[in-house]
Amino acid sequence: MIDNSRPLARPLAVFDLDNTLADTAHRQRFLERTPRDWAAFFAAAPEDPPLARGVELALESARECEVVYLTGRPERCRADTVAWLAEQGLPEGRVWMRRNDDRRPARRTKLETLRTLSRGREVRMLIDDDELVCDEAERAGFTVVRARWASGSEALKDAQEREGRT
């Protein structure tokens, strides 16, 4: 017998933040120094301009999916991140962040979270700019939209993979 008393959970659309929804170009300079200035990099995040294509896709996705956010930003950035999402008019949704002491590559931390999410819900798609994250997610069977609408930064790519900071 089918239980129609409970509505089915909507599928999830999982959005990355940096260079998917938020343009980090103005703060890349903090990663191009030696040593990298992570405190300044994350402190400047509230000033990120939104990326129109990413915002548009999040709003479109919210029609059929529950939008959630999966970022490599550390947990200590939660208040600024949640405020930024609200200021941009993005759909409300849970924000999954990296533990402050977690330095694993983004491709590992994000895939772990995607697997957790998919245990109880359909993950309709992951939208991310990190090619290594996208490759791993596709290999694991997830549908991926590659966010190629922001200008990339070699310093950020290196930091994501080698330092596990974002």
Side-chain angles (χ1 to χ4, degrees):
M1 179 172 173
I2 297 173
D3 180 4
N4 290 325
S5 64
R6 289 185 354 193
L8 295 174
R10 293 170 47 178
L12 299 174
V14 182
F15 280 81
D16 172 48
L17 293 178
D18 293 338
N19 288 333
T20 298
L21 295 171
D23 187 349
T24 66
H26 72 102
R27 54 187 170 112
Q28 295 302 318
R29 67 186 185 278
F30 298 117
L31 300 183
E32 294 164 356
R33 302 175 179 169
T34 304
R36 292 183 171 133
D37 188 346
W38 288 104
F41 178 77
F42 289 120
E47 304 307 316
D48 289 354
L51 290 164
R53 180 64 190 121
V55 170
E56 176 183 306
L57 189 54
L59 295 172
E60 286 173 11
S61 297
R63 293 184 194 133
E64 294 183 16
C65 298
E66 178 181 335
V67 173
V68 297
Y69 304 95
L70 175 57
T71 180
R73 292 179 186 184
E75 185 64 41
R76 68 181 174 275
C77 299
R78 179 170 294 279
D80 285 345
T81 299
V82 170
W84 185 90
L85 290 166
E87 288 167 9
Q88 308 317 312
L90 284 155
E92 286 186 27
R94 183 163 180 185
V95 179
W96 295 79
M97 302 184 86
R98 177 190 297 271
R99 289 186 331 266
N100 288 330
D101 63 347
D102 189 345
R103 297 289 186 265
R104 293 174 298 152
R107 60 189 163 87
R108 293 215 185 347
T109 60
K110 288 186 174 183
L111 187 60
E112 182 179 286
T113 302
L114 283 171
R115 286 184 170 137
T116 298
L117 291 169
S118 70
R119 280 190 212 119
R121 302 278 291 278
E122 173 195 349
V123 174
R124 173 81 44 92
M125 64 183 152
L126 166 70
I127 303 86
D128 202 302
D129 71 305
D130 185 326
E131 294 293 334
L132 295 174
V133 169
C134 292
D135 290 346
E136 287 292 320
E138 284 178 338
R139 274 195 283 277
F142 293 98
T143 299
V144 172
V145 175
R146 293 175 187 258
R148 293 180 172 147
W149 43 80
S151 36
S153 159
E154 288 307 313
L156 181 59
K157 287 178 190 174
D158 185 59
Q160 288 171 323
E161 183 59 20
R162 293 180 191 252
E163 297 182 37
R165 295 284 192 132
T166 184

Short mmCIF file of all heavy atoms in Angstrom, two decimals, residues 97-131:
data_model
loop_
_atom_site.label_atom_id
_atom_site.label_comp_id
_atom_site.label_asym_id
_atom_site.label_seq_id
_atom_site.Cartn_x
_atom_site.Cartn_y
_atom_site.Cartn_z
N MET A 97 29.57 22.96 5.29
CA MET A 97 30.88 23.60 5.30
C MET A 97 31.94 22.64 5.82
O MET A 97 31.64 21.66 6.51
CB MET A 97 30.85 24.86 6.16
CG MET A 97 29.80 25.86 5.69
SD MET A 97 29.80 27.41 6.61
CE MET A 97 31.04 28.30 5.68
N ARG A 98 33.17 22.96 5.53
CA ARG A 98 34.32 22.18 5.98
C ARG A 98 34.59 22.47 7.45
O ARG A 98 34.46 23.62 7.89
CB ARG A 98 35.52 22.63 5.13
CG ARG A 98 36.83 22.01 5.46
CD ARG A 98 37.95 22.73 4.72
NE ARG A 98 37.86 22.63 3.29
CZ ARG A 98 38.40 21.65 2.57
NH1 ARG A 98 39.04 20.68 3.15
NH2 ARG A 98 38.28 21.66 1.26
N ARG A 99 34.93 21.44 8.22
CA ARG A 99 35.39 21.68 9.59
C ARG A 99 36.60 22.61 9.56
O ARG A 99 37.40 22.55 8.63
CB ARG A 99 35.79 20.36 10.28
CG ARG A 99 34.66 19.44 10.61
CD ARG A 99 35.16 18.23 11.42
NE ARG A 99 36.53 17.83 11.15
CZ ARG A 99 36.90 16.90 10.28
NH1 ARG A 99 35.99 16.25 9.57
NH2 ARG A 99 38.18 16.61 10.11
N ASN A 100 36.75 23.43 10.56
CA ASN A 100 37.86 24.39 10.59
C ASN A 100 39.23 23.73 10.47
O ASN A 100 40.15 24.32 9.92
CB ASN A 100 37.80 25.23 11.87
CG ASN A 100 36.66 26.22 11.85
OD1 ASN A 100 36.26 26.70 10.80
ND2 ASN A 100 36.13 26.52 13.01
N ASP A 101 39.38 22.52 10.97
CA ASP A 101 40.67 21.84 10.95
C ASP A 101 40.82 20.82 9.82
O ASP A 101 41.81 20.10 9.76
CB ASP A 101 40.91 21.15 12.30
CG ASP A 101 39.89 20.06 12.59
OD1 ASP A 101 38.86 19.97 11.89
OD2 ASP A 101 40.13 19.27 13.53
N ASP A 102 39.87 20.76 8.92
CA ASP A 102 39.89 19.78 7.83
C ASP A 102 40.69 20.33 6.66
O ASP A 102 40.30 21.34 6.04
CB ASP A 102 38.45 19.47 7.40
CG ASP A 102 38.37 18.30 6.42
OD1 ASP A 102 39.41 17.91 5.84
OD2 ASP A 102 37.25 17.80 6.23
N ARG A 103 41.80 19.69 6.33
CA ARG A 103 42.66 20.16 5.24
C ARG A 103 42.70 19.18 4.06
O ARG A 103 43.59 19.24 3.23
CB ARG A 103 44.09 20.38 5.75
CG ARG A 103 44.21 21.47 6.81
CD ARG A 103 43.98 22.85 6.19
NE ARG A 103 44.22 23.90 7.16
CZ ARG A 103 43.29 24.48 7.88
NH1 ARG A 103 42.04 24.11 7.76
NH2 ARG A 103 43.60 25.44 8.73
N ARG A 104 41.73 18.27 4.02
CA ARG A 104 41.68 17.35 2.88
C ARG A 104 41.30 18.12 1.61
O ARG A 104 40.64 19.15 1.68
CB ARG A 104 40.67 16.24 3.15
CG ARG A 104 41.08 15.31 4.28
CD ARG A 104 39.99 14.32 4.61
NE ARG A 104 38.81 15.03 5.08
CZ ARG A 104 37.56 14.57 4.95
NH1 ARG A 104 37.32 13.41 4.38
NH2 ARG A 104 36.55 15.27 5.40
N PRO A 105 41.67 17.59 0.45
CA PRO A 105 41.28 18.25 -0.80
C PRO A 105 39.76 18.34 -0.93
O PRO A 105 39.03 17.45 -0.46
CB PRO A 105 41.87 17.34 -1.89
CG PRO A 105 42.95 16.57 -1.21
CD PRO A 105 42.52 16.42 0.22
N ALA A 106 39.31 19.39 -1.59
CA ALA A 106 37.86 19.61 -1.78
C ALA A 106 37.22 18.42 -2.47
O ALA A 106 36.08 18.06 -2.15
CB ALA A 106 37.63 20.88 -2.58
N ARG A 107 37.91 17.79 -3.39
CA ARG A 107 37.33 16.64 -4.11
C ARG A 107 36.99 15.51 -3.15
O ARG A 107 36.06 14.75 -3.38
CB ARG A 107 38.24 16.18 -5.24
CG ARG A 107 39.59 15.73 -4.82
CD ARG A 107 40.51 15.50 -6.03
NE ARG A 107 41.88 15.45 -5.61
CZ ARG A 107 42.49 14.35 -5.19
NH1 ARG A 107 41.83 13.21 -5.15
NH2 ARG A 107 43.75 14.39 -4.83
N ARG A 108 37.71 15.39 -2.07
CA ARG A 108 37.41 14.34 -1.09
C ARG A 108 36.27 14.77 -0.13
O ARG A 108 35.35 14.01 0.11
CB ARG A 108 38.65 14.01 -0.28
CG ARG A 108 39.74 13.36 -1.10
CD ARG A 108 40.51 12.34 -0.34
NE ARG A 108 41.66 11.69 -0.89
CZ ARG A 108 42.11 11.62 -2.10
NH1 ARG A 108 41.50 12.24 -3.04
NH2 ARG A 108 43.17 10.94 -2.46
N THR A 109 36.39 15.98 0.40
CA THR A 109 35.38 16.41 1.38
C THR A 109 34.01 16.56 0.73
O THR A 109 33.00 16.17 1.31
CB THR A 109 35.78 17.74 2.05
OG1 THR A 109 35.92 18.76 1.07
CG2 THR A 109 37.09 17.59 2.83
N LYS A 110 33.98 17.10 -0.47
CA LYS A 110 32.69 17.31 -1.13
C LYS A 110 32.05 15.98 -1.55
O LYS A 110 30.84 15.81 -1.42
CB LYS A 110 32.83 18.26 -2.30
CG LYS A 110 33.04 19.69 -1.85
CD LYS A 110 33.04 20.67 -3.00
CE LYS A 110 33.13 22.09 -2.51
NZ LYS A 110 33.05 23.06 -3.62
N LEU A 111 32.86 15.05 -2.04
CA LEU A 111 32.31 13.76 -2.43
C LEU A 111 31.75 13.03 -1.21
O LEU A 111 30.69 12.40 -1.28
CB LEU A 111 33.36 12.91 -3.15
CG LEU A 111 32.82 11.61 -3.75
CD1 LEU A 111 31.74 11.89 -4.78
CD2 LEU A 111 33.95 10.80 -4.36
N GLU A 112 32.43 13.13 -0.09
CA GLU A 112 31.94 12.52 1.15
C GLU A 112 30.57 13.08 1.52
O GLU A 112 29.64 12.34 1.86
CB GLU A 112 32.95 12.81 2.26
CG GLU A 112 32.63 12.20 3.60
CD GLU A 112 33.72 12.54 4.60
OE1 GLU A 112 34.81 11.96 4.53
OE2 GLU A 112 33.47 13.41 5.47
N THR A 113 30.42 14.39 1.42
CA THR A 113 29.13 15.02 1.75
C THR A 113 28.06 14.63 0.73
O THR A 113 26.92 14.35 1.10
CB THR A 113 29.28 16.55 1.84
OG1 THR A 113 30.26 16.85 2.83
CG2 THR A 113 27.96 17.21 2.19
N LEU A 114 28.41 14.59 -0.55
CA LEU A 114 27.44 14.18 -1.57
C LEU A 114 26.93 12.76 -1.30
O LEU A 114 25.74 12.49 -1.42
CB LEU A 114 28.07 14.23 -2.97
CG LEU A 114 28.20 15.60 -3.60
CD1 LEU A 114 29.03 15.51 -4.88
CD2 LEU A 114 26.84 16.20 -3.89
N ARG A 115 27.83 11.88 -0.92
CA ARG A 115 27.40 10.51 -0.60
C ARG A 115 26.47 10.49 0.61
O ARG A 115 25.50 9.74 0.63
CB ARG A 115 28.63 9.63 -0.38
CG ARG A 115 29.33 9.29 -1.68
CD ARG A 115 30.48 8.34 -1.48
NE ARG A 115 30.97 7.86 -2.75
CZ ARG A 115 32.25 7.75 -3.06
NH1 ARG A 115 33.18 8.07 -2.18
NH2 ARG A 115 32.60 7.30 -4.24
N THR A 116 26.78 11.29 1.61
CA THR A 116 25.90 11.39 2.78
C THR A 116 24.52 11.88 2.37
O THR A 116 23.50 11.32 2.76
CB THR A 116 26.52 12.33 3.83
OG1 THR A 116 27.77 11.78 4.27
CG2 THR A 116 25.61 12.53 5.02
N LEU A 117 24.49 12.94 1.57
CA LEU A 117 23.22 13.50 1.12
C LEU A 117 22.41 12.48 0.31
O LEU A 117 21.18 12.40 0.44
CB LEU A 117 23.45 14.75 0.28
CG LEU A 117 23.96 15.98 1.01
CD1 LEU A 117 24.38 17.06 0.03
CD2 LEU A 117 22.89 16.51 1.95
N SER A 118 23.09 11.72 -0.52
CA SER A 118 22.39 10.81 -1.44
C SER A 118 21.86 9.56 -0.74
O SER A 118 21.07 8.83 -1.33
CB SER A 118 23.31 10.42 -2.60
OG SER A 118 24.35 9.57 -2.16
N ARG A 119 22.26 9.32 0.50
CA ARG A 119 21.72 8.16 1.22
C ARG A 119 20.23 8.31 1.49
O ARG A 119 19.52 7.32 1.53
CB ARG A 119 22.47 7.97 2.53
CG ARG A 119 23.79 7.29 2.33
CD ARG A 119 24.41 6.87 3.66
NE ARG A 119 25.85 6.95 3.50
CZ ARG A 119 26.65 7.73 4.20
NH1 ARG A 119 26.18 8.48 5.16
NH2 ARG A 119 27.94 7.75 3.96
N GLY A 120 19.80 9.54 1.71
CA GLY A 120 18.39 9.73 2.04
C GLY A 120 17.59 10.50 1.02
O GLY A 120 16.37 10.59 1.12
N ARG A 121 18.25 11.05 0.02
CA ARG A 121 17.57 11.90 -0.97
C ARG A 121 18.21 11.72 -2.34
O ARG A 121 19.38 11.38 -2.45
CB ARG A 121 17.73 13.38 -0.59
CG ARG A 121 17.22 13.79 0.76
CD ARG A 121 15.73 14.04 0.77
NE ARG A 121 15.30 15.21 0.05
CZ ARG A 121 15.33 16.45 0.53
NH1 ARG A 121 15.78 16.69 1.74
NH2 ARG A 121 14.89 17.44 -0.19
N GLU A 122 17.42 12.02 -3.35
CA GLU A 122 17.99 12.08 -4.69
C GLU A 122 18.79 13.37 -4.82
O GLU A 122 18.28 14.45 -4.54
CB GLU A 122 16.87 12.09 -5.74
CG GLU A 122 17.39 12.30 -7.15
CD GLU A 122 16.31 12.68 -8.15
OE1 GLU A 122 15.11 12.59 -7.84
OE2 GLU A 122 16.69 13.11 -9.27
N VAL A 123 20.04 13.25 -5.25
CA VAL A 123 20.83 14.43 -5.58
C VAL A 123 20.67 14.61 -7.08
O VAL A 123 21.24 13.86 -7.87
CB VAL A 123 22.32 14.27 -5.17
CG1 VAL A 123 23.14 15.45 -5.66
CG2 VAL A 123 22.44 14.11 -3.66
N ARG A 124 19.87 15.59 -7.47
CA ARG A 124 19.57 15.81 -8.89
C ARG A 124 20.82 16.27 -9.62
O ARG A 124 21.10 15.84 -10.73
CB ARG A 124 18.45 16.84 -9.01
CG ARG A 124 18.11 17.32 -10.39
CD ARG A 124 17.21 16.43 -11.22
NE ARG A 124 16.06 15.85 -10.59
CZ ARG A 124 14.84 16.38 -10.57
NH1 ARG A 124 14.59 17.53 -11.14
NH2 ARG A 124 13.84 15.72 -9.99
N MET A 125 21.59 17.19 -8.97
CA MET A 125 22.80 17.69 -9.63
C MET A 125 23.69 18.41 -8.63
O MET A 125 23.23 18.93 -7.62
CB MET A 125 22.45 18.63 -10.78
CG MET A 125 21.75 19.89 -10.37
SD MET A 125 21.30 20.89 -11.80
CE MET A 125 19.88 21.74 -11.16
N LEU A 126 24.97 18.41 -8.97
CA LEU A 126 25.98 19.20 -8.28
C LEU A 126 26.42 20.27 -9.26
O LEU A 126 26.71 19.98 -10.41
CB LEU A 126 27.18 18.34 -7.89
CG LEU A 126 28.44 19.11 -7.47
CD1 LEU A 126 28.22 19.80 -6.12
CD2 LEU A 126 29.65 18.20 -7.43
N ILE A 127 26.49 21.52 -8.79
CA ILE A 127 26.97 22.63 -9.61
C ILE A 127 28.23 23.15 -8.93
O ILE A 127 28.18 23.65 -7.80
CB ILE A 127 25.91 23.75 -9.74
CG1 ILE A 127 24.60 23.20 -10.33
CG2 ILE A 127 26.44 24.89 -10.62
CD1 ILE A 127 23.66 22.62 -9.32
N ASP A 128 29.38 23.03 -9.60
CA ASP A 128 30.67 23.37 -8.99
C ASP A 128 31.64 23.81 -10.07
O ASP A 128 31.55 23.37 -11.21
CB ASP A 128 31.22 22.13 -8.25
CG ASP A 128 32.22 22.47 -7.17
OD1 ASP A 128 33.26 23.11 -7.48
OD2 ASP A 128 31.98 22.10 -6.01
N ASP A 129 32.60 24.66 -9.68
CA ASP A 129 33.60 25.14 -10.64
C ASP A 129 34.89 24.33 -10.60
O ASP A 129 35.71 24.41 -11.51
CB ASP A 129 33.94 26.61 -10.37
CG ASP A 129 34.72 26.79 -9.09
OD1 ASP A 129 34.25 26.33 -8.03
OD2 ASP A 129 35.82 27.38 -9.13
N ASP A 130 35.10 23.56 -9.55
CA ASP A 130 36.36 22.83 -9.37
C ASP A 130 36.32 21.57 -10.24
O ASP A 130 35.54 20.65 -9.98
CB ASP A 130 36.52 22.48 -7.89
CG ASP A 130 37.84 21.82 -7.57
OD1 ASP A 130 38.36 21.05 -8.41
OD2 ASP A 130 38.35 22.04 -6.45
N GLU A 131 37.18 21.53 -11.25
CA GLU A 131 37.18 20.41 -12.19
C GLU A 131 37.46 19.08 -11.50
O GLU A 131 36.88 18.06 -11.86
CB GLU A 131 38.20 20.65 -13.31
CG GLU A 131 37.85 21.83 -14.23
CD GLU A 131 36.59 21.59 -15.07
OE1 GLU A 131 36.25 20.42 -15.37
OE2 GLU A 131 35.95 22.59 -15.45
#
